[in-house]
Amino acid sequence: MFDAPFDVFAVMIAIAAFLIALKASNQATDLRRRLSSLEANLHAARPVQPPPLTPQQEMEQTHAAATPSAAEPPAPDAELTPPLVADQAAPPPIDADAAPPPLLPTAGPGLEERLGTRWVVWIGGLALALGGFFMVRYSIEAGLLGPGVRVFLGGLFALALLGAGEWTRRKESIADIQALPIANIPAILTAAGTAVAFATVYAAYALYDFLAPATAFVLLGLVALGTLAAALLHGPALAGLGVVGAFVTPILVSSDKPDYWALYIYLAIVSAASFGLARIRLWRWLAVTTIIFALLWTFPGLDLGAQLAAAHAFHVIAGFVLAALLVVCGFMFGPTIDDGQIEPVSSGSLAAYLFGAMLIVLSSAHADLTLITFTLLIAGTLFVAWRAPAATGALGAAAALVFMVFAEWAVRANPDMLVLPGGPLPGIGPTATDSSVTLHLLMAAIFAAGFGGAGFLAQGRSTSAIIPVVWSAAATFTPIALLVALYARIAHLDRSIPFAILAVLLAAAFAAATEALSRRENRPGLAISIALFATGTLGALALALTFALEKGWLTIALALMSLGTAWISIQRPIAFLRWLAAILAGIVTARIVYDPRIVGDAVGTTPIFNWLLWGYGVPALSFWAASRFLHRRGDDAPLRMVEAAAILFTALLAFMEIRHFATGGNMTSPPSLLEFALQVCVTLAMAIGLERLRLRSGSIVHNLGAIVLTVIAGLISVFGLLILENPYLLSSIDVGGVVFNLLLLGYALPAVLMLLLSYAVAGHRSTAYANTIAGGALVFALAYVTLEIRRFYHGPVLLYGATTGAEQYTYSIGWLGFGVVLLGVGLLVNSERARLASAVVIALTILKAFVIDMSTLSGVWRALSFMGLGIVLVAIGWLYQRILFRRQAPPAVTQTSA
């Protein structure tokens, strides 16, 4: 609390009053224009009655009715007969069903009207307020009047303005002036009077010490309440000024020892008056403003914690009760609303005071009184939402705040959980026998039973779909969230059979609710509620597995939960269940991003049969099975998400197991030729399998997955095998034996798999795509031949040693022989692709002979290289001429005798 300078405060109050009166006058002008338009419309639509007929006109009309009808031929002189006078005066008939004429736009007020009826009044009201302030200031500076006289005159001036405002209001009412005048003179005068009254009381307290803090506090509060009361007569301008002044008053009155009980009692009175005014005039903005100010007044005393627990509890309870009685639609004295609607102000008002109650619980370190207060407000929220559906939105906030209270309790007691995913350190954290545990367990049981029971019983009570869905969501989320928080606080994230038993019991309760709701007749929102309770069943079972087994089983439990949800979606075709299976798959994916090793350093050293097999294999199988279940009812986004998760976990299982095997269990070691070779082979094998699978399933995920795996295999092949870990270029690795070595695994087997993949995509994808894969197979096959020759001459380490002439000649012979083999295969199976590959290899051999062999070989090796190349080329030409493209001689033409 602090003191404010008198001049600044006076100007601020005057400007605020002026702006509020300006807004009210604009609203009044708009309403008057609308009323004028409606009156003009009604006047234009009213039918015009014809004037009464004279006796002579009535006789003429009777004579005209006796004449022959229009269907008979008229008399010869009928055309010369003049029309009746009555026909000239008779108006055209009016169609009662015809639409009323369109409204004519009303002309807006001109400049003269604006100046004379609006700006003059507004500026006059501001001038009155500022005049009172400046008169007091002048009397101070000139020393004309004593402090007491100044305050007395200021009070008289305020009373005069208030009296003038009331007199003008009654004058307009007596004179039958329109209820919404262009310039609201009574409201402006009353606003100026209340502003001067505020300034006078504050000056008597802050400048002259005439008033004690308590007296000044009471007088300022009375002025604020009087302003709110006057707003009933003068409109929303004074309501805004009054509520701001009422909540700012405690700041203006300073005290060395603030009395929070007096403050909160005063705020309760102000809130009641403001809520009552908002209810009478249906001003939602006034209720929202009051709630915001009241919630802000909760913060100043939070640092005192448990010392002010009782006062804080009174503040939030009083505000909650007043909001429930006067603000919540359809409850007690609140406004009416259509059934089945969730009203934001009704729900938000309760949620705001629940948030305040949560703050005092956290600031008081979970003192018993604050916990009891929080529990009472949660129970009150359930009761109000049960009786008034408009406040159902507060259930979501209540459930979230309950979890936040218990989660803060668990984390505050176990701070190591914030930084150590593997659990608490020995000796850190409280024991499970702390005194606060009993109260929290009792509260958790009350909350779980309250939310769960009410959420189940609320099904079928509303004609709206959203109401039962909110109840069921809160009923399933709150017990599970409380169970997790209690498990973290008491069991310290370690194995706990008692908590596993509680999770099983909770799952049984959710399952019973699911079956009971399934037998009911279809009601709005019932299908989604059944799905939510079924999800709660699976979630509780997953928690039971997590509590009873090691922490790594959480990933497995969530994956099995996704499988179970997919299976339930077959038994009960609810669209939400399909999305839930996909969401659970996403949660499992996020879990492995957090810790790819699933169980940290406890993966184990046994190849294949370690925690990676369970942590990735079980989810992969679960997602594949779940995708099969979901595929039975169509192809949609949830199915594709689960299929993508199945492919992802299958690939990750292979990659993680390969890495574990290649590094001996040290998952942080750098990659090696063995790891890259296994990764390429497994990835290509999975790509082949997906290519076959997509032809049967027609899934776009399988299609894209095959392409992605092929690209990954290609990148690892190029950058891993041909560059980084190539034993001929950069790596000094020991490749092993002469035949059975890493070269066979890293280059020969990938070449075979690439060839099989090219045949798998042939005819189903573009020719360029298949030929690119076949080209990769040729490159790796040629690399294998080259590296194997290098292994024969240099031993298991290929990087070191000079290349001899015999070795260079062997490369040429090996390449040439490989080309001949490819040609033979192409001829035997009539494969154009194999023959083209042969031509490429032989072309490379020719290029090598003329570029490398000619410059590096000498003597007999050079001669043998070219001789062998020539013989092979001639033989190839003979094969092409005699076998592949053999030309038949044309038959001889025999001449016959004429």
Side-chain angles (χ1 to χ4, degrees), residues 61 188 275 318 440 483 501 588 677 689 695 813:
Q61 282 191 351
I188 293 175
F275 286 156
H440 282 80
L483 188 61
I501 295 174
V588 176
L695 297 179
I813 294 300

Side-chain angles (χ1 to χ4, degrees), residues 193-572:
T194 55
V196 173
F198 268 112
T200 302
V201 175
Y202 182 71
Y205 158 73
L207 299 180
Y208 308 122
D209 295 329
F210 288 163
L211 301 176
T215 306
F217 182 81
V218 172
L219 290 178
L220 289 175
L222 290 176
V223 173
L225 293 176
T227 306
L228 288 174
L232 285 172
L233 302 174
H234 295 281
L238 279 181
L241 181 62
V243 73
V244 172
F247 282 100
V248 171
T249 292
I251 300 178
L252 300 178
V253 181
S254 62
S255 176
D256 296 334
K257 296 181 179 180
D259 187 351
Y260 281 92
W261 273 105
L263 170 65
Y264 288 146
I265 292 174
Y266 165 77
L267 293 179
I269 296 173
V270 171
S271 298
S274 182
F275 286 156
L277 178 60
R279 170 64 185 90
I280 294 173
R281 300 299 296 269
L282 297 179
W283 289 339
R284 300 174 60 185
W285 63 269
L286 183 59
V288 173
T289 304
T290 304
I291 293 170
I292 293 175
F293 277 115
L295 184 61
L296 290 176
W297 270 113
T298 308
F299 289 91
L302 288 179
D303 55 340
L304 299 178
Q307 301 177 13
L308 296 176
H312 287 322
F314 170 78
H315 176 53
V316 294
I317 290 177
F320 183 90
V321 172
L322 290 173
L325 294 176
L326 299 173
V327 177
V328 176
C329 297
F331 183 78
M332 297 299 289
F333 306 107
T336 59
I337 192 174
D338 295 337
D339 187 24
Q341 294 185 5
I342 297 179
E343 204 273 320
V345 176
S346 301
S347 302
S349 60
L350 301 183
Y353 288 104
L354 287 178
F355 179 75
M358 182 201 70
L359 290 179
I360 66 174
V361 170
L362 301 185
S363 64
S364 64
H366 293 245
D368 291 350
L369 179 59
T370 59
L371 286 175
I372 295 174
T373 301
F374 183 73
T375 304
L376 291 176
L377 293 190
I378 293 294
T381 302
L382 293 176
F383 175 73
V384 174
W386 181 271
R387 297 293 302 272
T392 307
L395 293 174
L401 293 175
V402 165
F403 174 70
M404 291 176 63
V405 167
F406 279 82
E408 190 273 343
W409 176 62
V411 172
R412 182 169 52 84
N414 301 280
D416 49 291
M417 288 193 300
L418 296 176
V419 294
L420 298 178
L425 294 177
I428 294 182
T431 62
T433 59
D434 290 347
S435 58
S436 63
V437 172
T438 303
L439 181 59
H440 282 80
L441 285 175
L442 180 61
M443 287 177 53
I446 294 174
F447 289 149
F451 279 94
F456 173 75
L457 296 176
Q459 304 303 312
R461 296 182 67 249
S462 176
T463 57
S464 173
I466 188 63
I467 303 296
V469 170
V470 174
W471 275 103
S472 58
T476 53
F477 168 79
T478 307
I480 292 178
L482 289 173
L483 188 61
V484 172
L486 291 175
Y487 166 73
R489 169 61 177 78
I490 298 175
H492 305 295
L493 298 179
D494 204 354
R495 293 179 66 247
S496 176
I497 298 301
F499 274 100
I501 295 174
L502 287 177
V504 171
L505 294 177
L506 183 60
F510 284 147
T514 303
E515 288 302 317
L517 293 177
S518 301
R519 299 190 187 98
R520 296 185 181 181
E521 61 178 354
N522 190 17
R523 298 277 296 176
L526 183 62
I528 299 179
S529 298
I530 293 174
L532 289 172
F533 278 105
T535 303
T537 304
L538 298 176
L541 290 176
L543 288 178
L545 293 176
T546 304
F547 297 159
L549 304 173
E550 296 294 337
K551 289 180 283 294
W553 288 96
L554 177 60
T555 304
I556 298 175
L558 291 175
L560 292 174
M561 185 176 172
S562 177
L563 172 60
T565 306
W567 178 78
I568 293 176
S569 68
I570 298 299
Q571 308 302 320
R572 304 189 183 282

Side-chain angles (χ1 to χ4, degrees), residues 11 24 34 178 194 224 298 352 405 424 432 490 505 530 585-586 604 607 628 651 696 724 791 844 871:
V11 175
R34 293 184 180 180
Q178 192 172 359
T194 55
T298 308
V405 167
I490 298 175
L505 294 177
I530 293 174
R628 295 296 298 172
R696 296 196 304 268
L724 296 178
R791 167 66 182 81
L844 289 175
I871 293 172

Side-chain angles (χ1 to χ4, degrees), residues 12-340:
M12 290 175 60
I13 291 293
I15 293 176
F18 171 72
L19 294 177
I20 294 173
L22 178 64
K23 179 179 179 181
S25 181
N26 287 333
Q27 294 175 346
T29 302
D30 183 63
L31 290 174
R32 184 184 180 187
R33 185 179 296 110
R34 293 184 180 180
L35 288 175
S36 300
S37 300
L38 290 174
E39 289 180 355
N41 182 26
L42 292 174
H43 181 72
R46 187 179 297 118
V48 180
Q49 297 293 336
L53 300 178
T54 61
Q56 179 64 27
Q57 291 174 340
E58 291 180 357
M59 294 178 61
E60 292 177 351
Q61 282 191 351
T62 304
H63 177 73
T67 58
S69 62
E72 298 178 359
D77 56 348
E79 297 179 359
L80 303 178
T81 304
L84 296 176
V85 178
D87 293 338
Q88 295 176 356
I94 298 176
D95 188 1
D97 298 331
L103 293 177
L104 297 177
T106 59
L111 178 61
E112 181 180 3
E113 182 182 357
R114 292 178 184 273
L115 292 176
T117 59
R118 299 184 184 183
W119 293 102
V120 172
V121 178
W122 296 334
I123 297 174
L126 179 61
L128 286 173
L130 291 177
F133 301 151
F134 293 149
M135 180 59 69
V136 175
R137 179 176 180 178
Y138 172 74
S139 65
I140 294 173
E141 294 175 350
L144 300 177
L145 301 173
V149 179
R150 298 169 195 165
V151 173
F152 177 73
L153 292 178
L156 288 180
F157 185 59
L159 291 176
L161 290 175
L162 293 174
E166 181 62 18
W167 181 81
T168 53
R169 184 189 68 82
R170 295 189 178 185
K171 188 70 175 178
E172 289 181 350
S173 177
I174 295 173
D176 199 18
I177 298 178
Q178 192 172 359
L180 296 174
I182 294 177
N184 197 344
I185 296 176
I188 293 175
L189 291 176
T190 307
T194 55
V196 173
F198 268 112
T200 302
V201 175
Y202 182 71
Y205 158 73
L207 299 180
Y208 308 122
D209 295 329
F210 288 163
L211 301 176
T215 306
F217 182 81
V218 172
L219 290 178
L220 289 175
L222 290 176
V223 173
L225 293 176
T227 306
L228 288 174
L232 285 172
L233 302 174
H234 295 281
L238 279 181
L241 181 62
V243 73
V244 172
F247 282 100
V248 171
T249 292
I251 300 178
L252 300 178
V253 181
S254 62
S255 176
D256 296 334
K257 296 181 179 180
D259 187 351
Y260 281 92
W261 273 105
L263 170 65
Y264 288 146
I265 292 174
Y266 165 77
L267 293 179
I269 296 173
V270 171
S271 298
S274 182
F275 286 156
L277 178 60
R279 170 64 185 90
I280 294 173
R281 300 299 296 269
L282 297 179
W283 289 339
R284 300 174 60 185
W285 63 269
L286 183 59
V288 173
T289 304
T290 304
I291 293 170
I292 293 175
F293 277 115
L295 184 61
L296 290 176
W297 270 113
T298 308
F299 289 91
L302 288 179
D303 55 340
L304 299 178
Q307 301 177 13
L308 296 176
H312 287 322
F314 170 78
H315 176 53
V316 294
I317 290 177
F320 183 90
V321 172
L322 290 173
L325 294 176
L326 299 173
V327 177
V328 176
C329 297
F331 183 78
M332 297 299 289
F333 306 107
T336 59
I337 192 174
D338 295 337
D339 187 24

Side-chain angles (χ1 to χ4, degrees), residues 458-720:
Q459 304 303 312
R461 296 182 67 249
S462 176
T463 57
S464 173
I466 188 63
I467 303 296
V469 170
V470 174
W471 275 103
S472 58
T476 53
F477 168 79
T478 307
I480 292 178
L482 289 173
L483 188 61
V484 172
L486 291 175
Y487 166 73
R489 169 61 177 78
I490 298 175
H492 305 295
L493 298 179
D494 204 354
R495 293 179 66 247
S496 176
I497 298 301
F499 274 100
I501 295 174
L502 287 177
V504 171
L505 294 177
L506 183 60
F510 284 147
T514 303
E515 288 302 317
L517 293 177
S518 301
R519 299 190 187 98
R520 296 185 181 181
E521 61 178 354
N522 190 17
R523 298 277 296 176
L526 183 62
I528 299 179
S529 298
I530 293 174
L532 289 172
F533 278 105
T535 303
T537 304
L538 298 176
L541 290 176
L543 288 178
L545 293 176
T546 304
F547 297 159
L549 304 173
E550 296 294 337
K551 289 180 283 294
W553 288 96
L554 177 60
T555 304
I556 298 175
L558 291 175
L560 292 174
M561 185 176 172
S562 177
L563 172 60
T565 306
W567 178 78
I568 293 176
S569 68
I570 298 299
Q571 308 302 320
R572 304 189 183 282
I574 303 173
F576 180 75
L577 289 177
R578 300 175 65 87
W579 278 105
L580 182 59
I583 292 172
L584 292 171
I587 294 175
V588 176
T589 304
R591 167 69 178 85
I592 65 168
V593 172
Y594 170 72
D595 186 6
R597 295 175 298 177
I598 307 297
V599 289
D601 296 330
V603 175
T605 57
T606 305
I608 309 299
F609 298 100
N610 48 53
W611 249 107
L612 297 174
L613 179 62
W614 304 108
Y616 287 95
V618 175
L621 291 175
S622 299
F623 295 147
W624 280 113
S627 65
R628 295 296 298 172
F629 287 136
L630 296 178
H631 185 71
R632 296 181 183 179
R633 295 191 177 274
D635 185 4
D636 54 3
L639 170 63
R640 295 171 184 176
M641 293 173 64
V642 175
E643 288 178 339
I647 297 174
L648 176 63
F649 271 81
T650 303
L652 289 177
L653 171 64
F655 276 69
M656 296 298 290
E657 287 286 9
I658 288 171
R659 180 151 187 79
H660 182 274
F661 172 77
T663 59
N666 185 8
M667 305 293 287
T668 59
S669 298
S672 62
L673 177 62
L674 174 62
E675 182 177 353
F676 283 147
L678 291 174
Q679 287 176 350
V680 170
C681 292
V682 172
T683 306
L684 290 173
M686 289 190 295
I688 294 172
L690 280 180
E691 290 289 352
R692 299 297 184 185
L693 179 61
R694 77 178 184 89
L695 297 179
R696 296 196 304 268
S697 66
S699 171
I700 187 175
V701 176
H702 296 162
N703 184 16
L704 294 176
I707 296 176
V708 171
L709 289 176
T710 302
V711 172
I712 293 174
L715 293 176
I716 299 176
S717 301
V718 173
F719 294 101

